[in-house]
Structures are given as C-alpha cells and as structure tokens.
C-alpha cells in the first residue's frame, strides 16, 4: 500500500485563523499579536504581500518578515498586528495576505475599546470668606465618579495655581486608587489663607489611560480688619491751666472683616494729663 498526502486548503496555513484582541483600555499602549504563515504547497511561494483592509481604524502592522519574501515548502514567517483603541466601541478589520499565484487570504481581526468616563460632582468649589490668621475654614468635598465602560486608576491628586498653598487636601485623597465603573472617589479640602484678598487655584485629579487631568476650580476670599485713624497725631495746642481742651479722634475699620475694639488706654510720661 502506498499513498501521497496533498494539501487541499489555501496555499498558506495560518495560525491562528483569527485575531481577537479583546478589551483594550483607550489611551494605553497598543496590544500586539502575531500570525504565523506556513507554506503548505509543494513548491516555493514568492512575492508575498501583507496589508490591512482600507477600514482598519485602531489596527496597524508591526514587525514582520513576510513581505517580499519567498517561502520554500514547509517554511514559515510571522506578521505582527498591533491594536490601540482610539475610543469606546467595537473595531474590526482584515489582515490581507496575498501571493501572485494563489490569490488573497483574509484573516479576521477584532478588538473592543473600553474607557472610563470621568464625572465630577461639581466644576468649582467656593469656600466663601475666611478671616486671615483665623481658624481653618469648613472642609468642602469634591468627588470624581466613573460612568464609563472600564475602570482606571487615579494616579495622584494635587492643588495647582498661584494660591495653591492656601488649599489643603485632607488625608490620603484618591491618589493611587482604582475607580471601577459605577463607583467614585472623593477628597476633602480646607482653606487657610495667609494674606488678604481673593484666592484661586485648581484641584487636579490625574488619571491613567492618557486622559488629561480632571479639574475643579477653587475660589475663596480672605478677609481681615484694618484699624484706621483720621489723625496720626493729636495736638491740643495751648490749653489754659484748670481748663480742658478737647479734640475728636475718629477710629475706622478700613479692612474687609469686622474689627473688634478693646478698651482704650493712654501710655507715656504725661499720660495722667490726658483723659
């Protein structure tokens, strides 16, 4: 008994027959998979061409040693395909392998883009008025939620801007925490000014997956009283003995916060002559 085995399929045996990249987080490094081409014919195959179909959003060719090469019977080469999802959704394409004599073979490739969708509970926080040098103001909270299709990590939380030093993030915040779809993470902030006037800064949630920071505007006003006198020196001029001279001195608050006046006193060598 004798026989001969004959390859009856396509000129190329392709392993695997399809490429499925699965879920890929938008904005992260591309995933890579390889396809191996094996010449199953009894003769050499030359002038091999590798390409992607026209509609190949998200897919690209990587390293490969097949294009322009001649494969002897049983010889193989590899093609690398990369996938990076530009947005949420399903992506499909074809890896096209052609050779002049055998035609074109198409390999299905697919992948799914997933991404977090960040939602802030408020775009700004207003701490109101707080007295300079007084107690720390009431803490306000800012929450960042994820309504997307994938979880992602908040890499760090910081306050930036010219007046950043007056705002403090309490505790450990959300830095380093992973926020899954349907969940959120919150931080508390306090305001303690060292100078009078309006203060502005930004609370920044830095997140992975290539997204820009999520920003919350911080606004507060620092107030302080300022004692003002309408005269720097009181001059009674000449006052006759046993009589009394009188001069009016006006005290004003020229600041932005209430001024609490204490008892008045007169000091100096001649303090006893003034009432």
């Amino acid at each position: 008994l004798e026989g001969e085995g004959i390859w009856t399929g396509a000129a190329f045996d392709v392993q695997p027959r399809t490429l499925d990249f699965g879920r890929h987080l938008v904005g992260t490094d591309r995933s890579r998979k390889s396809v191996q081409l094996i010449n199953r014919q009894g003769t050499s195959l030359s002038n091999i061409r590798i390409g992607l179909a026209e509609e190949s959003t998200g897919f690209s060719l990587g390293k490969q040693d097949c294009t322009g090469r001649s494969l002897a019977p049983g010889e193989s080469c590899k093609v690398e395909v990369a996938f990076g999802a530009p947005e949420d959704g399903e992506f499909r394409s074809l890896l096209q392998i052609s050779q002049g004599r055998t035609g074109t073979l198409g390999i299905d490739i697919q992948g799914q883009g997933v991404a977090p969708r960040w939602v802030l509970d408020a775009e700004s926080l207003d701490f109101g008025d707080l007295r300079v040098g007084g107690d720390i103001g009431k803490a306000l909270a800012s929450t960042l939620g994820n309504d997307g299709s994938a979880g992602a990590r908040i890499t760090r939380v910081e306050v930036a801007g010219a007046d950043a030093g007056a705002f403090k993030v309490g505790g450990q915040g959300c830095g380093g925490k992973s926020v899954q779809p349907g969940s959120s993470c919150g931080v508390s902030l306090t305001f303690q000014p060292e100078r009078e006037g309006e203060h502005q800064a930004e609370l920044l949630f830095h997140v992975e997956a290539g997204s820009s920071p999520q920003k919350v505007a911080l606004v507060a006003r620092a107030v302080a009283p300022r004692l003002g006198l309408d005269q720097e020196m009181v001059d009674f001029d000449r006052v006759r003995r046993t009589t009394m001279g009188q001069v009016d001195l006006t005290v004003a608050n020229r600041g932005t916060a209430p001024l609490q006046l204490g008892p008045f006193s007169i000091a100096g060598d001649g303090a006893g002559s003034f009432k």
Side-chain angles (χ1 to χ4, degrees):
L1 299 176
E2 64 179 39
E4 179 183 0
I6 300 174
W7 177 258
T8 58
F12 296 105
D13 181 15
V14 180
Q15 298 176 357
R17 300 297 179 92
T18 61
L19 287 181
D20 188 350
F21 286 87
R23 291 166 57 89
H24 183 88
L25 188 62
V26 174
T28 57
D29 293 339
R30 289 174 172 262
S31 299
R32 301 179 184 276
K33 291 181 178 292
S34 295
V35 173
Q36 185 179 35
L37 280 64
I38 306 172
N39 180 7
R40 294 300 191 186
Q41 299 283 23
T43 59
S44 295
L45 295 175
S46 59
N47 197 27
I48 299 171
R49 294 288 180 266
I50 307 295
L52 292 171
E54 291 184 4
E55 294 296 329
S56 297
T57 302
F59 300 100
S60 62
L61 291 177
K63 296 178 181 179
Q64 55 106 351
D65 58 354
C66 296
T67 296
R69 181 174 171 180
S70 179
L71 291 181
E75 193 175 10
S76 65
C77 63
K78 283 188 177 181
V79 178
E80 182 182 76
V81 180
F83 173 62
E87 58 187 15
D88 276 329
E90 300 282 346
F91 297 88
R92 294 180 180 275
S93 186
L94 280 176
L95 174 64
Q96 296 176 330
I97 305 167
S98 62
Q99 195 272 336
R101 181 163 56 86
T102 61
T104 300
L105 177 67
I107 306 300
D108 288 324
I109 53 177
Q110 62 183 8
Q112 180 185 5
V114 295
R117 188 171 71 87
W118 301 110
V119 180
L120 289 164
D121 63 338
E123 295 183 355
S124 64
L125 294 177
D126 191 339
F127 289 80
D129 297 344
L130 189 65
R131 187 175 178 129
V132 176
D135 295 333
I136 298 176
K138 179 182 178 181
L140 298 182
S142 179
T143 301
L144 181 64
N146 181 3
D147 288 347
S149 56
R153 191 167 58 92
I154 300 174
T155 55
R156 73 180 191 278
V157 179
E158 65 173 342
V159 178
D163 301 316
F167 300 91
K168 304 294 183 185
V169 177
Q172 297 299 315
C174 295
K177 293 185 178 180
S178 179
V179 182
Q180 299 303 312
S183 61
S184 62
C185 186
V187 299
S188 64
L189 299 102
T190 55
F191 172 63
Q192 188 172 29
E194 295 182 354
R195 64 166 180 84
E196 188 179 2
E198 184 168 317
H199 290 63
Q200 294 183 348
E202 284 185 325
L203 174 65
L204 303 179
F205 291 90
H206 293 272
V207 296
E208 67 177 351
S211 302
S212 58
Q214 304 298 307
K215 301 178 180 180
V216 180
L218 305 179
V219 180
R221 289 160 298 280
V223 297
R226 284 201 305 276
L227 177 66
L229 301 172
D230 65 338
Q231 302 178 58
E232 294 184 359
M233 182 180 70
V234 176
D235 187 355
F236 288 85
D237 200 7
R238 295 166 60 88
V239 179
R240 187 171 180 174
R241 189 176 179 180
T242 70
T243 63
M244 183 178 65
Q246 179 175 319
V247 175
D248 291 331
L249 179 65
T250 301
V251 179
N253 179 6
R254 297 171 183 169
T256 53
L259 175 64
Q260 182 66 41
L261 295 176
F264 292 88
S265 62
I266 299 175
D269 294 341
S273 300
F274 298 92
K275 304 296 182 183

Coordinates of all heavy atoms in Angstrom, one line a residue, residues 216-249:
V216 N -11.1 70.9 39.0 CA -12.1 71.6 39.8 C -11.6 73.0 40.2 O -10.5 73.1 40.8 CB -12.5 70.8 41.1 CG1 -13.6 71.5 41.9 CG2 -12.9 69.4 40.7
A217 N -12.3 74.0 39.9 CA -11.8 75.4 40.2 C -12.1 75.6 41.7 O -13.2 75.3 42.2 CB -12.6 76.4 39.4
L218 N -11.1 76.2 42.4 CA -11.2 76.5 43.8 C -11.2 78.1 43.9 O -10.3 78.7 43.4 CB -10.0 75.9 44.6 CG -9.8 74.4 44.4 CD1 -8.6 73.9 45.2 CD2 -11.1 73.6 44.8
V219 N -12.1 78.6 44.7 CA -12.3 80.0 44.9 C -12.5 80.3 46.4 O -13.3 79.6 47.0 CB -13.4 80.6 44.0 CG1 -13.5 82.1 44.3 CG2 -13.2 80.3 42.6
A220 N -11.8 81.3 46.9 CA -12.1 81.7 48.3 C -11.6 83.2 48.4 O -10.8 83.7 47.6 CB -11.3 80.8 49.2
R221 N -12.1 83.8 49.5 CA -11.7 85.2 49.8 C -11.3 85.3 51.2 O -11.9 84.8 52.1 CB -12.9 86.1 49.6 CG -13.3 86.3 48.1 CD -14.7 86.8 47.9 NE -15.7 85.9 48.4 CZ -16.1 84.8 47.8 NH1 -15.5 84.5 46.6 NH2 -17.0 84.0 48.3
A222 N -10.1 85.8 51.4 CA -9.5 86.0 52.7 C -9.8 87.5 53.2 O -9.5 88.4 52.4 CB -8.0 85.8 52.7
V223 N -10.4 87.6 54.3 CA -10.7 89.0 54.8 C -9.9 89.3 56.1 O -9.5 88.3 56.8 CB -12.2 89.1 55.1 CG1 -13.0 88.9 53.7 CG2 -12.7 88.0 56.1
A224 N -9.8 90.6 56.4 CA -9.1 91.0 57.6 C -9.5 92.4 58.0 O -9.7 93.2 57.1 CB -7.6 90.9 57.4
P225 N -9.6 92.7 59.3 CA -9.9 94.0 59.7 C -8.6 94.9 59.6 O -7.5 94.4 59.7 CB -10.3 93.9 61.1 CG -9.6 92.6 61.6 CD -9.5 91.8 60.4
R226 N -8.8 96.2 59.4 CA -7.6 97.1 59.4 C -8.1 98.4 60.2 O -9.0 99.1 59.8 CB -7.2 97.5 58.0 CG -6.4 96.4 57.3 CD -5.6 96.9 56.2 NE -6.4 97.7 55.2 CZ -7.0 97.1 54.2 NH1 -7.0 95.8 54.1 NH2 -7.7 97.9 53.4
L227 N -7.3 98.7 61.3 CA -7.6 99.8 62.1 C -7.1 101.1 61.4 O -6.0 101.1 60.9 CB -7.0 99.7 63.4 CG -7.1 100.9 64.4 CD1 -8.5 101.1 64.8 CD2 -6.2 100.7 65.6
G228 N -8.0 102.1 61.3 CA -7.6 103.3 60.7 C -7.9 104.5 61.6 O -9.0 104.5 62.2
L229 N -7.1 105.5 61.7 CA -7.3 106.8 62.4 C -7.3 108.0 61.5 O -6.5 108.0 60.5 CB -6.2 106.9 63.5 CG -6.1 105.8 64.5 CD1 -4.9 106.0 65.4 CD2 -7.4 105.7 65.4
D230 N -8.1 108.9 61.8 CA -8.2 110.1 60.9 C -7.0 111.1 61.2 O -6.8 112.0 60.4 CB -9.5 110.8 61.0 CG -9.7 111.4 62.4 OD1 -9.1 111.0 63.4 OD2 -10.5 112.4 62.5
Q231 N -6.3 110.9 62.3 CA -5.1 111.7 62.6 C -4.0 110.8 63.1 O -4.2 109.9 63.9 CB -5.5 112.7 63.7 CG -6.6 113.7 63.3 CD -6.9 114.6 64.4 OE1 -6.0 115.4 64.8 NE2 -8.1 114.6 64.9
E232 N -2.8 111.1 62.7 CA -1.6 110.4 63.2 C -1.1 111.0 64.5 O -0.4 110.4 65.3 CB -0.5 110.4 62.2 CG -0.9 109.5 60.9 CD 0.3 109.4 60.0 OE1 1.3 110.0 60.3 OE2 0.1 108.8 59.0
M233 N -1.4 112.3 64.7 CA -1.0 113.0 66.0 C -2.1 113.9 66.4 O -2.7 114.7 65.6 CB 0.3 113.8 65.7 CG 0.8 114.5 67.0 SD 2.3 115.4 66.8 CE 1.7 116.7 65.8
V234 N -2.5 113.9 67.7 CA -3.5 114.8 68.2 C -2.8 116.0 68.9 O -2.0 115.8 69.9 CB -4.4 114.1 69.3 CG1 -5.4 115.0 69.9 CG2 -5.1 112.9 68.6
D235 N -3.0 117.2 68.5 CA -2.4 118.4 69.0 C -3.4 119.2 69.7 O -4.4 119.8 69.1 CB -1.7 119.2 67.9 CG -0.9 120.3 68.4 OD1 -0.9 120.6 69.6 OD2 -0.2 121.0 67.6
F236 N -3.3 119.4 71.0 CA -4.3 120.2 71.8 C -3.9 121.7 71.8 O -4.7 122.5 72.3 CB -4.4 119.7 73.2 CG -5.1 118.3 73.4 CD1 -4.4 117.2 73.2 CD2 -6.4 118.3 73.7 CE1 -5.0 115.9 73.3 CE2 -7.1 117.1 73.8 CZ -6.4 115.9 73.6
D237 N -2.8 122.0 71.2 CA -2.3 123.4 71.2 C -2.2 123.9 72.6 O -1.9 123.1 73.5 CB -3.2 124.2 70.4 CG -2.5 125.5 69.9 OD1 -1.3 125.6 70.1 OD2 -3.2 126.3 69.3
R238 N -2.4 125.1 72.9 CA -2.3 125.7 74.2 C -3.6 125.6 75.0 O -4.6 126.0 74.5 CB -1.9 127.2 74.1 CG -0.5 127.4 73.4 CD -0.2 128.8 73.0 NE -0.3 129.7 74.1 CZ 0.7 130.1 74.9 NH1 1.9 129.5 74.7 NH2 0.6 130.9 75.9
V239 N -3.5 125.0 76.1 CA -4.7 124.9 77.0 C -4.4 125.5 78.3 O -3.4 125.2 79.0 CB -5.0 123.4 77.2 CG1 -6.2 123.2 78.1 CG2 -5.3 122.7 75.9
R240 N -5.3 126.4 78.7 CA -5.1 127.1 80.0 C -5.3 126.2 81.2 O -6.1 125.3 81.2 CB -6.1 128.3 80.1 CG -5.9 129.2 81.3 CD -6.8 130.4 81.2 NE -6.7 131.3 82.3 CZ -7.3 132.5 82.4 NH1 -8.1 132.9 81.4 NH2 -7.0 133.2 83.5
R241 N -4.4 126.5 82.1 CA -4.5 125.6 83.3 C -5.8 125.7 84.0 O -6.5 126.7 84.0 CB -3.4 126.1 84.3 CG -3.2 125.2 85.5 CD -2.1 125.7 86.4 NE -1.9 124.9 87.5 CZ -0.9 125.0 88.5 NH1 -0.1 126.1 88.3 NH2 -0.8 124.2 89.5
T242 N -6.2 124.6 84.5 CA -7.5 124.4 85.2 C -8.7 124.3 84.2 O -9.8 124.1 84.6 CB -7.8 125.4 86.3 OG1 -8.1 126.7 85.6 CG2 -6.7 125.6 87.3
T243 N -8.4 124.4 82.9 CA -9.4 124.2 81.9 C -9.1 122.9 81.2 O -8.1 122.3 81.4 CB -9.5 125.4 80.9 OG1 -8.2 125.5 80.2 CG2 -9.7 126.7 81.7
M244 N -10.0 122.6 80.2 CA -9.8 121.3 79.5 C -10.0 121.6 78.0 O -10.9 122.3 77.6 CB -10.9 120.3 80.0 CG -10.8 118.9 79.3 SD -12.0 117.7 79.9 CE -13.5 118.5 79.3
G245 N -9.1 121.0 77.2 CA -9.2 121.1 75.8 C -9.7 119.7 75.2 O -9.4 118.7 75.8
Q246 N -10.4 119.8 74.1 CA -10.9 118.5 73.6 C -10.7 118.4 72.1 O -10.8 119.4 71.4 CB -12.4 118.5 73.8 CG -13.1 117.2 73.3 CD -14.6 117.2 73.6 OE1 -14.9 117.5 74.8 NE2 -15.4 116.7 72.7
V247 N -10.3 117.3 71.7 CA -10.0 117.0 70.2 C -10.7 115.7 69.9 O -10.6 114.7 70.6 CB -8.5 116.9 69.9 CG1 -8.3 116.5 68.5 CG2 -7.8 118.2 70.2
D248 N -11.5 115.7 68.8 CA -12.1 114.4 68.3 C -11.2 113.6 67.5 O -10.6 114.1 66.5 CB -13.4 114.8 67.5 CG -14.5 115.4 68.4 OD1 -14.5 115.1 69.6 OD2 -15.3 116.2 67.9
L249 N -11.1 112.3 67.8 CA -10.3 111.4 67.0 C -11.2 110.3 66.5 O -11.9 109.6 67.3 CB -9.2 110.7 67.9 CG -8.3 109.7 67.3 CD1 -7.5 110.3 66.2 CD2 -7.4 109.0 68.3

